[in-house]
Amino acid sequence: MLYNVAQLLKELPGATRDYALDERVSFGSEEEFGEITVRGSLHLLRTLAGILATAAIETAVGEECARCLERYDQPLTLPIQDEFFPQVDPDSGLPIKLPDGEFAIDNHHMLDLSEAIRQTVLINRPIKPLCRPDCQGLCPDCGANRNTDPCDCSAGATDPRWAKLKTMLP
């Protein structure tokens, strides 16, 4: 997701550009989340030191349900707000020292939003992904997916060590 910001860097602070987002972004490894479609809006604002990128995006990442282990697409609605700093002065062409740990605008004045999106998606993925809130998970005895396969394996089975507790119930 590259944006040429050479002209915006030459303008006074406060200048803006707006873009509609609707494209596929690849992040390499499938283990992380591979390729996703990003939709939304991007607002670029010229600041004193660089460009503030503000975006509202919608996407979906492939997840594995923590209960039933089925793959599903997890929808995400994410806000992004990061400042990007130029490595080269757009007027003189002289190098500029980049602040530590900040996003950079490359030597050709291209702002790449991909890494900011990747980091935001990683931070906002659910810790315990569920395909649906009422997911029944897997049967601990036979391993059947209780969402799709009826299972009565453990309906009457009780661990004999806990059998005495059943007598305490009214």
Side-chain angles (χ1 to χ4, degrees), residues 10-133:
K10 291 180 180 182
E11 295 181 21
L12 295 174
T16 64
R17 300 287 188 279
D18 291 306
Y19 299 95
L21 304 176
D22 187 9
E23 56 186 283
R24 303 240 346 126
V25 182
S26 180
F27 295 108
S29 70
E30 190 64 36
E31 293 84 38
E32 194 169 56
F33 48 85
E35 188 174 88
I36 60 173
T37 299
V38 175
R39 290 185 177 89
S41 61
L42 171 64
H43 179 77
L44 300 179
L45 171 69
R46 175 70 165 109
T47 64
L48 287 173
I51 294 179
L52 179 66
T54 305
I57 64 169
E58 292 181 0
T59 189
V61 294
E63 294 284 359
E64 183 177 276
C65 181
R67 291 183 187 160
C68 68
L69 305 180
E70 294 291 325
R71 298 285 304 166
Y72 74 100
D73 285 334
Q74 173 70 48
L76 297 172
T77 301
L78 308 169
I80 295 176
Q81 188 169 22
D82 288 304
E83 189 164 10
F84 290 76
F85 297 93
Q87 295 178 334
V88 175
D89 183 273
D91 295 321
S92 67
L94 296 173
I96 299 173
K97 182 170 174 12
L98 186 67
D100 290 336
E102 298 293 337
F103 291 112
I105 298 170
D106 72 10
N107 294 341
H108 302 288
H109 310 295
M110 298 298 284
L111 183 149
D112 188 0
L113 198 61
S114 300
E115 181 60 19
I117 290 173
R118 185 189 75 81
Q119 289 181 17
T120 302
V121 169
L122 281 175
I123 289 170
N124 288 285
R125 288 172 75 179
I127 293 172
K128 184 177 179 182
L130 297 176
C131 60
R132 58 183 197 237

